[in-house]
Amino acid sequence: MSTPQRDSVNDEEEFADILEDLRRSWDLGHALRTFKPSVPDTGPPPCSAAELTAAVRTSQHLRYITKEVAVETDSSVEAVEQQVEVILSEMSQNLQMSSIRLLGYGLNKAMKRLFTRVNVNMDGLQRLQPTAQGYPVILMPNHRSYMDFLIISFLSFTYDLPIPVIAAGTPLSKMKLMGEIFRRCGAFYIRRGIGSDKLYWAVLSEYVKTIVRRAYAPLEFYVEGLRSRTLKALPPKLGMMHMVLEPFFKGEVYDITLVPISISYDRVVEESLLAHELLGVPKPKETTRGLLKASSVLWENYGSMHVNIGQALSVREMCEGKIDRNHYNRIPRDLPQKPGEDLQACVSLLAHRVVRDQEQGAVLSPWSLMATVLLQSPVPSLVQEGLPWGALAQRTLWLRGHALAFGARLNWPGGTRESDEVMSSNMSLHHSVVRRRGGRVFLLEEEGFAGRRPTSAEEGVAWRAVAVLMMASHRNQALHVFARPAMLAVAMHVTASRQRRELQAFFVFLLDVFSVEIIFTPGQSAQDFEEACSLLGKAGAIQCCQEEISVTDAGQQTVTFLKTLLQPFMDSYQVVFSHLCEAGVHTFSEKQFVTSVRKLATSLILAGELQTYEALSSDTQANALASLLRLEAVTKLRTAEQTEYSVNKSSVQRIADMLCGKIPLQSVQTAPDSRL
């Protein structure tokens, strides 16, 4: 395929629109093109999907676990082996080029309908090549849309790269016809909620490790585990990461190459669906019928997609001096072994590094900055009075300068002279959320079916929240750019202090509280604080010396803006804390918790005491609960029926008071990365 027209982002990374040639070519011709992927010069010999499954079935490790499970469950070995066969049959991929061509044909047509451009950094495509030595390649994209699932496979087919095998959730396998097509396109299916199922863990682990050991194909999985409904990074899940890295820890492969991939959208196809899910509307089941019904999205314009394939990471180089691999040599490799603390810390470090690289590789649209500016205004004002277009444009350009200074990648065609046209075009793309009328920009409330009006004040709040959450999802895509400076801005505001030591202590406290909301690498709070100081210093917003940090006159606007950026999260968490400190709350289930917090937030919004509609989001509520669990202010209780939680009200109240500055700063522990 010829090299498409180049498109620059920040004049650093060169992207090419792969749709340019595809629009001129014959769809069926592309699907039937000759496919000649390169293969490594050395490494294990290639094997079929059936041979891969047979290697898993006969592995010494799985045989050992099979006998253990048979003894523990008082079953015969043959009965347990039959369970293994069922798991493998449900799990295994069956990669076939005929299905790749079929799905490639459909995906080609869909992308040309949905997107104006699909931009890919062409240098990054070379990183998807297998190494000459045959080291395993692990592809690690972020997960923001269902479109993520096969875009890497489509690129691989288009540019003669090895087709990856992809870790997918079992709900996809339940789709009639499509589930089998996905399997033949390289998907292997993993159950959700595996829990303590020892046999399933053993089969899955051995399947993944065999793919890695044999360098069977590039392995693609989402380190975040799930699709992000808020479009910001999720805490990395370490189970699959450990399976992937274990062959290196055991010395079964010399090295492993990790490739972080950032997939960014001007609009995600599911944006309205995601907002409704956050407000408690059940997620539709993945079915073929549902997929066909969703074909109406093909008539919408979703702007551009950017696929930024990041710098490859050598696991060997990243782990140098950090781990003792002799741990695995002390007992036979085939026996189950619990990883040491150094290995667990290394897995966590690598996973967080991948998430950080994904964030830094993300390409922001102008709308992400416009949404960030709009959400700094009260929601009722945006709905009723709107924001003057000139004010929105001016503030967005001001924020654009800061975003570039903070290292963001922006998809901003042309220069500042064309900015008004760029912003107008982006706003038109999001016509379901905002509208420009009479020189002002208004936030649109969700329209009821057939023009139906809300039947209650509470329903009206939910309808308005849909638009807010849709807009917030685009602000969230830019959150990583401003998060560290914003936390320093909050620390300066809440503490009203200039003392560097006190500001750093409160900064670390904020990292602890929002550890699930905004992803930071554990153990690196000192580096994060210094990065925040450096960025605000370069922006001319603060002056730093050895003992003090002060806001400059010119930096007041910047610091105020950044503080306001985190206010929705501060307010949402305070709503959670208020609920947990109510007299009647002692033990609760997660379902009860979400329902009660949403009810409290709705009542506060209606009373005019809360401006933050994001407090209604189930993900924000769940993040606050997870943070309190980590801080040991809430305890998880195991019961026969369901998981319940017990709250330590005094600890929750203390955190709430510290967050708003009611408790003196001396109460905050000052040791880096200390837990409250």
Side-chain angles (χ1 to χ4, degrees), residues 8-27:
S8 65
V9 176
N10 295 0
D11 297 324
E12 294 176 358
E13 290 284 351
E14 284 193 324
F15 287 77
D17 176 20
I18 67 167
L19 293 186
E20 185 183 16
D21 275 357
L22 292 175
R23 292 189 195 281
R24 292 196 297 260
S25 65
W26 184 35
D27 293 340

Side-chain angles (χ1 to χ4, degrees), residues 22-23 75 89 128 273 276 314 322 334 353 402 510 608 618:
L22 292 175
R23 292 189 195 281
S75 305
S89 175
L128 303 186
L273 178 65
H276 283 87
S314 163
K322 294 184 177 67
D334 294 324
R353 169 63 185 273
H402 277 71
L510 290 173
S618 57

Side-chain angles (χ1 to χ4, degrees), residues 57-301:
R57 184 188 300 112
T58 58
S59 69
Q60 291 294 327
H61 173 74
L62 194 53
R63 286 180 178 178
Y64 180 88
I65 295 296
T66 298
K67 292 176 182 177
E68 269 197 345
V69 171
V71 172
E72 292 169 1
T73 59
D74 196 22
S75 305
S76 67
V77 172
E78 291 74 17
V80 178
E81 286 176 343
Q82 288 179 358
Q83 294 178 47
V84 170
E85 287 300 321
V86 170
I87 295 171
L88 280 172
S89 175
E90 174 191 281
M91 179 185 298
S92 302
Q93 56 78 34
N94 186 20
L95 187 60
Q96 296 180 11
M97 279 309 303
S98 58
S99 294
I100 289 287
R101 294 182 187 279
L102 174 63
L103 206 60
Y105 175 79
L107 197 59
N108 186 2
K109 281 188 168 296
M111 287 196 301
K112 289 192 289 188
R113 278 275 193 181
L114 292 168
F115 301 106
T116 54
R117 300 174 66 94
V118 174
N119 298 311
V120 182
N121 61 328
M122 303 309 291
D123 291 343
L125 282 174
Q126 300 305 312
R127 298 175 197 133
L128 303 186
Q129 290 279 7
T131 61
Q133 294 79 13
Y135 302 151
V137 174
I138 313 300
L139 309 179
M140 305 181 72
N142 55 3
H143 196 13
R144 303 295 177 263
S145 169
Y146 284 125
M147 291 297 299
D148 303 336
F149 180 57
L150 289 168
I151 184 62
I152 307 302
S153 298
F154 182 82
L155 290 174
S156 299
F157 173 70
T158 302
Y159 291 97
D160 291 326
L161 300 167
I163 305 295
V165 293
I166 311 166
T170 49
L172 286 178
S173 70
K174 309 297 183 186
M175 298 174 66
K176 291 182 180 179
L177 181 63
M178 293 306 301
E180 183 58 31
I181 290 177
F182 290 151
R183 188 188 300 275
R184 296 183 183 188
C185 288
F188 64 94
Y189 294 112
I190 303 173
R191 295 177 191 169
R192 293 175 181 168
I194 301 170
S196 57
D197 190 333
K198 184 176 181 178
L199 185 64
Y200 191 89
W201 274 113
V203 175
L204 173 60
S205 176
E206 192 61 27
Y207 191 82
V208 170
K209 288 185 289 186
T210 303
I211 290 172
V212 175
R213 279 194 296 260
R214 295 194 170 213
Y216 171 78
L219 172 61
E220 179 182 339
F221 77 97
Y222 304 114
V223 70
E224 299 166 292
L226 301 171
R227 182 179 49 139
S228 173
R229 298 188 297 185
T230 58
L231 301 193
K232 59 183 173 62
L234 302 177
K237 302 291 190 294
L238 304 183
M240 177 70 79
M241 191 76 175
H242 191 274
M243 293 177 199
V244 165
L245 297 177
E246 190 172 314
F248 168 76
F249 293 151
K250 288 186 173 181
E252 296 169 322
V253 296
Y254 181 79
D255 198 3
I256 294 175
T257 301
L258 307 179
V259 184
I261 301 173
S262 306
I263 306 177
S264 312
Y265 299 88
D266 286 353
R267 283 180 68 190
V268 294
V269 174
E270 312 93 323
E271 60 180 0
S272 176
L273 178 65
L274 295 177
H276 283 87
E277 285 182 33
L278 292 173
L279 293 171
V281 177
K283 176 185 174 183
K285 290 184 178 180
E286 290 97 340
T287 64
T288 303
R289 177 180 294 182
L291 181 65
L292 295 175
K293 284 184 177 180
S295 60
S296 59
V297 302
L298 295 174
W299 303 105
E300 279 281 341
N301 178 14

Side-chain angles (χ1 to χ4, degrees), residues 281-511:
V281 177
K283 176 185 174 183
K285 290 184 178 180
E286 290 97 340
T287 64
T288 303
R289 177 180 294 182
L291 181 65
L292 295 175
K293 284 184 177 180
S295 60
S296 59
V297 302
L298 295 174
W299 303 105
E300 279 281 341
N301 178 14
Y302 291 88
S304 296
M305 176 201 298
H306 278 80
V307 182
N308 189 8
I309 302 164
Q311 292 292 336
L313 304 174
S314 163
V315 171
R316 189 176 189 85
E317 292 177 7
M318 294 282 291
C319 293
E320 187 69 33
K322 294 184 177 67
I323 60 172
D324 175 18
R325 292 202 289 169
N326 290 325
H327 167 83
Y328 281 105
N329 295 328
R330 296 181 185 126
I331 58 177
R333 289 177 179 173
D334 294 324
L335 299 184
Q337 300 180 50
K338 184 177 180 179
E341 290 185 4
D342 59 335
L343 293 178
Q344 294 182 55
C346 193
V347 170
S348 177
L349 177 68
L350 286 168
H352 281 86
R353 169 63 185 273
V354 168
V355 172
R356 183 79 195 271
D357 284 3
Q358 289 172 345
E359 288 184 324
Q360 292 179 328
V363 177
L364 304 182
S365 72
W367 176 245
S368 290
L369 303 184
M370 295 171 73
T372 303
V373 170
L374 284 166
L375 285 172
Q376 300 243 330
S377 299
V379 172
S381 174
L382 283 178
V383 172
Q384 298 162 12
E385 303 164 19
L387 183 68
W389 170 257
L392 174 60
Q394 182 182 15
R395 293 177 198 173
T396 301
L397 286 174
W398 171 84
L399 187 58
R400 175 181 183 262
H402 277 71
L404 291 172
F406 289 174
R409 299 172 185 268
L410 295 180
N411 177 31
W412 196 292
T416 53
R417 291 182 180 180
E418 296 84 6
S419 290
D420 192 82
E421 181 181 344
V422 168
M423 288 185 281
S424 295
S425 173
N426 270 262
M427 199 180 67
S428 297
L429 191 66
H430 297 275
H431 57 85
S432 61
V433 181
V434 291
R435 194 157 298 166
R436 185 175 175 180
R437 188 169 63 245
R440 304 181 78 87
V441 178
F442 292 85
L443 179 68
L444 300 180
E445 296 176 291
E446 185 184 36
E447 297 179 0
F449 295 106
R452 181 175 70 84
R453 303 298 301 166
T455 57
S456 66
E458 289 77 11
E459 188 178 47
V461 169
W463 285 17
R464 183 173 290 182
V466 171
V468 174
L469 292 179
M470 287 170 66
M471 193 153 62
S473 69
H474 291 277
R475 177 212 60 204
N476 289 342
Q477 294 180 72
L479 193 60
H480 67 277
V481 176
F482 304 106
R484 290 164 181 78
M487 286 192 170
L488 179 53
V490 169
M492 289 187 287
H493 172 75
V494 174
T495 64
S497 173
R498 292 186 175 188
Q499 295 300 311
R500 189 184 188 99
R501 179 184 61 82
E502 294 179 353
L503 292 173
Q504 183 169 359
F506 199 86
F507 183 94
V508 172
F509 165 66
L510 290 173
L511 292 187

